[in-house]
Amino acid sequence: MTFASFVIQLLNGLAAASSLFLVSAGLSLIFGVTRIVNFAHGSLYMLGLYGAYSLIEALGRTPLGFWSAVVLAALAVGLAGVVIEVVVLRRIYRSPELFQLLATFAIVLVIKDVALAAWGPEDLVGPRAPGLSFPIEILGRGIPAYDLMLIVVGPVVLALMWLLLARTRWGALVRAATQDREMVGALGVDQARLFTSVFFVGAALAGLGGALQIPREPATLDLDLSVIADAFVVTVVGGLGSLGGAFLAAVLIGVAKAFCIGFGFSKLTLVVEFVIMGVVLVLRPYGLLGKAPATPRAIGETPPPLGPPRRWPVAAWLVLFALVPLVGDRYVTVLLTDIVCFALFAVSLHFIMGPAGMVSFGHAAYFGLGAYAGALLFKKAGLPMELALVLAPFVAGLFAVVYGWFCVRLSGVYLAMLTLAFAQISWSIVFQWDELTAGSNGLVGVWPSAWLSGKPAYYWMALALCGIGIAILWRALFSPFGYVLRAGRDSPLRAEAIGIDLRAYQWAAFVLAGTMAGLAGSIFAFSKGSIAPSSVSIAQSTDGLVMVLLGGVETLTGPVVGAAIFTWLRDLLARETDFWRAALGLMILLIVVVFPQGLVGGLAALYARWRPA
Amino acid sequence: MTAVLQVDGLHKAFGGVRAVEDVAFAVSAGELLALIGPNGAGKSTCFNMLNGQLEPDSGVVELEGRDITGMSPRAIWRLGVGRTFQITATFASLSVRENVQMALYSHAGKLRSLLSRFGTALRTEADALLDQVGMLDQADRPCGVLAYGDLKRVELAMALANQPRLLLMDEPTAGMAPRERVALMELAARLARAQKIAVLFTEHDMDVVFSQADRIVVLDRGRVIAGGLPAEVRANPDVQAVYLGSGH
């Protein structure tokens, strides 16, 4: 490594860091004040890129046109943030945190289709920055002048934000609300206006981050989730709510990525940021410059007691499900196979995020790894299909042993983001290890043995195995082990004070849930005959979250109902319209606003109200 | 009579602030010792070094002659120390009986089971403990809906579940109505004396302290400034100066 190449890569990294910082700063600001983890923040960044592209086309490729376009795009995205806050989020500030998360997922779906409708599915390559496209020579290498300008943007925005927060009344309110939202409310500050303005600034920062990238990267529809993953990592590494931390983390990660590319380890780029995050979180659980979150004053709504399932209704449903292939057609059988796989997936996710209180943003890791393990044991190791199918969950379980060990050391949002990081690491490995996993193409020819090759036969096998999996998880919830998990969620302090090694139980719960998700994935892989990296993706993880939250995280049967409805709806909508994501998103938003306890919870509440006294 | 809890030369500083300096005292079986002092005197710091939440800079904490300094809260509980918290900590989504059963299961080493049904065992034992604290009639209600005073009673039942030798009660009556306070502490005192449990408690309510404590230790700015029988402490001019100001 020569000194020159070192400097060049450093500059590349710093240029990339600026946009990363902008989008993360916005995310951090919004979270600090509203306590909403805005999953749609990456979508706002994406809108910034698309918006800048169109505005430049409209205003002309001149320096004036370019810069007006960038600024206008940022402001427009800021307004989009205001619309989101006023139309959706304001109605659900009193809902449980997870429900707000569900709403932001739905917004991701809607924005993706809005972008699809407005700009089409093709990648859009923007123009180079007019007036700044010439290279500047540094140590014998050419660096685009625009990149050097970007390096300056990050610190400038940091300074401006700092001034805004330190020197204005608005900034004082934001800082106060970040520290103690209740107190700010009690002092008579109009929270609705504060939240709206924070959303405007946060969204505009994301939009600016996106717009500034137009000369450097094409506008594509899958930026939303990849950017939100990056932004999560940066905010968590820097410390939630810390602008300086976000800047530091953005620089660290931007530079680390640039070095990976610059020195021929480009395969590592996807992994490196998550490795950094893992290391930082283990050493400094609240990020580089973050502080331990203040314990909320009110303990909040405690989850209601959970009742064990009643045997007869469950048995009746099982029989009903088993009978369907006898009357239904092939299509229905295939759909039901999907539903039972996702039911087990959702129940396993619910197991750790509901009763155990550990929200996972990356549960697809175990689903996907189970799927790949099944396919690889079958195709590469030459095991019989039945053996591969049954062994695969344990491979996923082994990953859960490793990932879980780190995860149970954290709690709350930090825990959730670490799970996302591990899922993303898994995805990168699967995506990049061409020789083993066939990369983006995925593995094909993963078919079940002859006796299971009929769709009804496979469905019955899937129903039986997933049923057993769900039965084990439900049984465990009402065992002493499951009670420890619930007790630990309710009061870790008390659990410790009656001699319970909570982490060990939480770790075991992680492994059990991961193994069961692996089983779901393995059954899924053999039902499709192929497996692609999307089974490990963030989208798959969020699908699981939506299923659980849709059904109701505080109920036992909710995740099963959520999985069935979500899978069926998605299938139905995907056949009816190209814009099924937006349709699904809008339906979720409707449900969120009407049934803040999830479908099963909401119906139970309705039933309780109308039941004769 | 040997002490159940023996504390010697306890020190703890946070940065430059010496929160606890050279604190020493002992509690015997069946005895109630109150640890009092004005705000910031070091009571909580002291307390947290006994229950394993904080590690002292120096000094020794002995439980029945065994050095437990710096052990984890879990390990200390296993050796027979029960605790109640200043702000109640119970399992809100579990019923009152299940809360007590959790402690009993943990004491019996029965929590590791994955397939047996929780709650079928140790039910009579749990009900006996709930009966002692007068909460049996609410055994099936979830803790999340209980009145604050009732939660304190549940905590007491949980603290007694491992048949402790020592009970640590951090502000046991904080947040309760005045009449309930004395009643709760009377209950704790009665149970402790009957079962020969040593009790150390911190408390702001002087009615509770002087009516229930056998002995009192007074902390001020991290140091023990007085100790002895309630009457002696009441008459101590240093204590009066700390509580009432030096003008008296």
Side-chain angles (χ1 to χ4, degrees):
Chain A
M1 173 167 67
T2 65
F3 179 67
S5 62
F6 177 86
V7 171
I8 298 303
Q9 291 313 330
L10 186 69
L11 292 175
N12 265 334
L14 289 174
S18 279
S19 276
L20 207 51
F21 164 67
L22 290 180
V23 64
S24 313
L27 182 73
S28 194
L29 190 71
I30 289 176
F31 176 82
V33 174
T34 65
R35 298 288 144 192
I36 286 183
V37 177
N38 182 21
F39 246 85
H41 216 66
S43 310
L44 295 172
Y45 174 97
M46 182 178 80
L47 284 183
L49 249 172
Y50 275 113
Y53 176 87
S54 293
L55 284 166
I56 292 169
E57 295 302 299
L59 299 173
R61 298 187 173 191
T62 59
L64 179 67
F66 179 87
W67 288 107
S68 337
V70 166
V71 172
L72 284 175
L75 292 177
V77 174
L79 286 180
V82 170
V83 170
I84 290 171
E85 200 275 338
V86 172
V87 175
V88 180
L89 297 176
R90 184 174 290 183
R91 295 169 201 286
I92 52 169
Y93 279 128
R94 290 174 185 282
S95 298
E97 242 171 59
L98 286 173
F99 239 64
Q100 302 169 351
L101 197 65
L102 181 60
T104 63
F105 286 143
I107 295 167
V108 170
L109 294 173
V110 174
I111 292 182
K112 199 192 256 300
D113 271 0
V114 167
L116 175 64
W119 288 284
E122 302 296 322
D123 292 2
L124 299 179
V125 181
R128 293 207 285 173
L132 284 172
S133 56
F134 58 90
I136 289 175
E137 196 163 301
I138 293 174
L139 298 170
R141 315 270 188 103
I143 286 247
Y146 186 74
D147 285 17
L148 291 177
M149 191 278 309
L150 272 187
I151 293 177
V152 183
V153 168
V156 167
V157 172
L158 176 65
L160 286 177
M161 284 296 297
W162 184 82
L163 278 175
L164 195 62
L165 288 176
R167 296 291 164 84
T168 65
R169 176 178 154 75
W170 181 80
L173 287 179
V174 166
R175 282 183 293 130
T178 303
Q179 274 185 17
D180 193 335
R181 189 168 59 156
E182 284 168 48
M183 185 50 100
V184 171
L187 291 175
V189 173
D190 182 353
Q191 292 210 36
R193 266 174 59 190
L194 179 65
F195 284 13
T196 309
S197 62
V198 162
F199 253 89
F200 176 78
V201 174
L205 282 173
L208 182 63
L212 283 172
Q213 285 297 307
I214 194 73
R216 285 167 54 92
E217 68 175 319
T220 72
L221 287 171
D222 49 14
L223 274 173
D224 49 3
L225 289 182
S226 71
V227 168
I228 194 66
D230 282 350
F232 275 176
V233 172
V234 168
T235 353
V236 166
V237 167
L240 271 180
S242 162
L243 277 181
F247 182 72
L248 206 63
V251 166
L252 188 67
I253 286 166
V255 170
K257 275 186 159 185
F259 279 126
C260 283
I261 297 173
F263 302 115
F265 306 111
S266 58
K267 284 194 171 185
L268 279 178
T269 47
L270 286 170
V271 178
V272 68
E273 63 185 304
F274 294 100
V275 172
I276 291 176
M277 167 153 143
V279 172
V280 167
L281 283 186
V282 169
L283 296 179
R284 288 189 61 90
Y286 301 110
L288 292 174
L289 299 185
K291 293 194 193 85
T295 28
R297 186 170 297 114
I299 296 160
E301 286 174 49
T302 49
L306 205 59
R310 273 168 296 177
R311 277 163 207 255
W312 290 114
V314 170
W317 277 106
L318 260 179
V319 170
L320 203 66
F321 262 77
L323 291 178
V324 172
L326 300 178
V327 290
D329 55 3
R330 181 188 160 89
Y331 162 74
V332 173
T333 310
V334 169
L335 180 63
L336 279 179
T337 309
D338 285 1
I339 286 181
V340 294
C341 288
F342 288 131
L344 176 58
F345 177 54
V347 169
S348 72
L349 174 60
H350 172 257
F351 184 79
I352 49 170
M353 74 183 260
M358 300 185 287
V359 178
S360 170
F361 286 175
H363 205 54
Y366 313 105
F367 182 86
L369 290 170
Y372 269 93
L376 289 171
L377 287 171
F378 175 63
K379 289 202 62 156
K380 304 271 164 155
L383 293 185
M385 170 262 167
E386 294 82 358
L387 197 58
L389 179 80
V390 179
L391 284 182
F394 295 99
V395 177
L398 275 179
F399 278 93
V401 169
V402 178
Y403 296 171
W405 188 87
F406 291 95
C407 290
V408 298
R409 273 152 180 71
L410 302 173
S411 61
V413 187
Y414 285 90
L415 164 71
M417 294 191 176
L418 190 61
T419 59
L420 181 91
F422 281 123
Q424 200 59 11
I425 290 178
S426 309
W427 180 83
S428 320
I429 294 171
V430 164
F431 194 78
Q432 297 183 333
W433 199 345
D434 261 326
E435 303 80 46
L436 191 69
T437 63
S440 58
N441 298 324
L443 295 163
V444 291
V446 193
W447 290 111
S449 301
W451 65 283
L452 288 170
S453 60
K455 291 297 170 195
Y458 195 85
Y459 166 65
W460 281 318
M461 192 256 342
L463 183 64
L465 284 183
C466 291
I468 291 170
I470 291 174
I472 291 175
L473 288 168
W474 279 358
R475 178 95 199 168
L477 276 186
F478 295 95
S479 72
F481 175 78
Y483 267 77
V484 169
L485 296 177
R486 267 188 268 167
R489 171 199 60 188
D490 289 357
S491 174
L493 189 66
R494 171 52 74 187
E496 188 82 7
I498 57 170
I500 294 172
D501 184 359
L502 189 58
R503 266 187 196 166
Y505 286 87
Q506 291 178 328
W507 191 20
F510 233 91
V511 174
L512 179 61
T515 308
M516 289 302 169
L519 178 62
S522 158
I523 296 172
F524 184 75
F526 284 103
S527 82
K528 296 291 166 206
S530 64
I531 192 70
S534 63
S535 66
V536 203
S537 66
I538 297 177
Q540 179 73 36
S541 292
T542 54
D543 282 358
L545 278 166
V546 172
M547 291 172 197
V548 172
L549 296 172
L550 200 57
V553 70
E554 289 168 355
T555 63
L556 193 66
T557 48
V560 177
V561 176
I565 291 181
F566 181 83
T567 311
W568 172 71
L569 261 184
R570 184 174 54 182
D571 188 77
L572 186 76
L573 294 171
R575 281 185 302 134
E576 295 295 326
T577 162
D578 285 341
F579 300 107
W580 61 274
R581 282 186 207 84
L584 192 63
L586 289 173
M587 288 177 110
I588 294 173
L589 286 178
L590 194 70
I591 292 169
V592 164
V593 174
V594 180
F595 293 111
Q597 265 84 46
L599 279 176
V600 172
L603 292 176
L606 272 184
Y607 173 74
R609 188 186 297 172
W610 293 110
R611 194 175 44 189
Chain B
M1 192 161 70
T2 56
V4 174
L5 176 71
Q6 178 83 49
V7 178
D8 267 313
L10 218 50
H11 279 271
K12 182 77 191 178
F14 298 104
V17 182
R18 276 176 269 181
V20 168
E21 269 193 280
D22 200 23
V23 166
F25 55 82
V27 197
S28 313
E31 182 188 37
L32 272 77
L33 180 72
L35 192 61
I36 66 168
N39 285 329
K43 300 186 297 291
S44 291
T45 308
C46 201
F47 226 71
N48 287 334
M49 287 190 283
L50 306 183
N51 61 32
Q53 218 100 305
L54 268 181
E55 199 167 338
D57 295 338
S58 65
V60 183
V61 182
E62 283 182 351
L63 183 72
E64 295 183 316
R66 179 173 182 166
D67 186 357
I68 61 164
T69 323
M71 281 188 181
S72 72
R74 263 199 331 267
I76 290 176
W77 180 84
R78 293 240 166 257
L79 293 173
V81 178
R83 272 173 79 181
T84 66
F85 293 93
Q86 186 174 347
I87 300 168
T88 55
T90 57
F91 308 129
S93 71
L94 308 189
S95 74
V96 168
R97 181 184 292 116
E98 286 167 343
N99 265 269
V100 178
Q101 276 175 309
M102 280 303 296
L104 287 166
Y105 267 70
S106 178
H107 184 52
K110 278 174 178 275
L111 283 175
R112 275 161 213 272
S113 164
L114 200 73
L115 294 175
S116 71
R117 187 69 166 264
F118 177 83
T120 47
L122 298 168
R123 200 183 155 97
T124 38
E125 290 84 345
D127 285 357
L129 282 164
L130 287 173
D131 197 22
Q132 283 187 350
V133 299
M135 284 296 294
L136 189 54
D137 55 330
Q138 301 196 61
D140 293 315
R141 301 184 74 198
C143 270
V145 304
L146 291 190
Y148 198 67
D150 291 340
L151 279 178
K152 293 269 183 183
R153 290 168 185 271
V154 176
E155 272 213 312
L156 185 57
M158 291 175 84
L160 294 172
N162 63 336
Q163 293 157 0
R165 308 298 311 132
L166 171 68
L167 195 54
L168 298 173
M169 305 179 81
D170 193 5
E171 306 229 0
T173 72
M176 295 175 81
R179 192 175 301 166
E180 277 186 303
R181 292 182 186 182
V182 176
L184 180 88
M185 211 53 217
E186 265 171 5
L187 172 69
R190 189 156 40 82
L191 293 173
R193 290 197 179 104
Q195 299 172 32
K196 293 269 173 260
I197 302 171
V199 179
L200 176 70
F201 68 105
T202 62
E203 185 55 66
H204 273 295
D205 185 327
M206 289 303 134
D207 287 343
V208 172
V209 170
F210 283 95
S211 65
Q212 302 303 326
D214 295 312
R215 281 191 305 124
I216 297 171
V217 167
V218 187
L219 286 182
D220 184 36
R221 292 178 214 171
R223 290 179 166 277
V224 176
I225 58 162
L229 300 174
E232 296 166 10
V233 168
R234 203 195 299 264
N236 186 313
D238 289 344
V239 177
Q240 289 178 354
V242 164
Y243 271 96
L244 304 173
S246 50
H248 288 262

